[in-house]
Amino acid sequence: MPFGFDGEKRLLAVLSDHHSRPKSIADAVELILQQNEEQLVDKSTEWAVEPVLDRHEFVEWLKGLDVVHWTKFTARLPNPEPMDPFEELHQRLTSRHATKITETMTSEHDGGLIGIEHDKDFRQAIAMGEQGFATLGGKGHREGKVSFFRQNEQVARESVEDLPPTWDDVFSLIGDLLKGKLRRFLDDDQAE
């Protein structure tokens, strides 16, 4: 499975055939990185590879529901230092010496939850999810049918219609995607 890594943005791109679950790919890469770290004399990093959230897809999922029953995020202490969009949540974690937080918001009202995308903590969790420091999920109803959002399965994606004919061209394509289109998942929403 060809892949590329952007060290500046800490973004991993994998050319997938859609038969492998994104979480399985992330777990395999994390295992390799952690095993490499264990072989070092001076261990310095606890590796975590998380699927990157596509903010637009999550917010559109929320807005498209007739009723939102619950939403949840699990965020872990970011490394390196936090960015402004989630500074408060980072401070909340560090002031309590926490390394991870899970927050679930539920509603048993007929109308369900409202305005989740405007909630301060969930906005910060969304920003963390875009950087791979949080995972989000939820459950709701749309047109009488149950709808789930699972970031581990609904990751930020870019589709390529036709693959180039050679491996060199495939790796060049992955590099171009990392430096261009895929960075939008990290960069676009930082300006909002």
Side-chain angles (χ1 to χ4, degrees):
M1 205 175 280
F3 67 92
F5 181 71
D6 180 340
E8 180 186 337
K9 294 291 186 174
R10 298 177 327 274
L11 184 65
L12 174 71
V14 178
L15 186 60
S16 174
D17 58 4
H18 301 293
H19 294 294
S20 299
R21 294 177 51 229
K23 183 63 176 155
S24 297
I25 295 168
D27 289 346
V29 172
E30 183 176 311
L31 179 64
I32 291 167
L33 292 170
Q34 200 59 47
Q35 286 177 346
N36 274 353
E37 186 73 23
E38 293 299 320
Q39 294 175 10
L40 297 174
V41 174
D42 295 322
K43 298 171 187 70
S44 64
T45 305
E46 174 86 21
W47 289 96
V49 178
E50 299 290 341
V52 173
L53 175 71
D54 181 341
R55 169 195 298 261
H56 300 293
E57 185 175 337
F58 180 67
V59 171
E60 288 306 310
W61 174 80
L62 281 172
K63 290 179 177 178
L65 295 173
D66 299 323
V67 178
V68 179
H69 297 293
W70 61 263
T71 57
K72 173 182 177 177
F73 72 82
T74 299
R76 60 183 170 71
L77 201 58
N79 179 20
E81 290 302 310
M83 302 169 131
D84 288 343
F86 50 87
E87 175 65 35
E88 287 180 38
L89 198 50
H90 176 264
Q91 285 297 336
R92 186 174 166 199
L93 285 162
T94 55
S95 69
R96 303 290 175 249
H97 293 250
T99 55
K100 187 187 288 187
I101 182 173
T102 298
E103 188 166 303
T104 304
M105 200 175 286
T106 63
S107 176
E108 295 178 13
H109 293 285
D110 291 342
L113 296 169
I114 58 170
I116 291 298
E117 66 274 18
H118 304 295
D119 180 83
K120 179 179 71 169
D121 289 338
F122 271 88
R123 287 181 61 86
Q124 291 184 74
I126 289 169
M128 290 180 84
E130 291 177 298
Q131 299 295 318
F133 298 128
T135 55
L136 285 85
K139 176 185 174 188
H141 270 86
R142 177 183 299 122
E143 298 175 0
K145 295 181 181 174
V146 175
S147 176
F148 288 95
F149 185 92
R150 296 179 183 97
Q151 180 181 336
N152 288 338
E153 300 302 324
Q154 292 160 284
V155 300
R157 301 174 189 267
E158 196 63 48
S159 294
V160 176
E161 293 299 318
D162 297 314
L163 289 177
T166 69
W167 282 111
D168 284 344
D169 291 341
V170 167
F171 286 115
S172 178
L173 171 71
I174 291 172
D176 291 346
L177 285 170
L178 277 168
K179 295 294 183 188
K181 289 184 176 181
L182 293 177
R183 278 191 173 196
R184 76 178 163 84
F185 293 113
L186 302 179
D187 294 335
D188 276 1
D189 298 311
Q190 297 303 317
E192 288 181 4

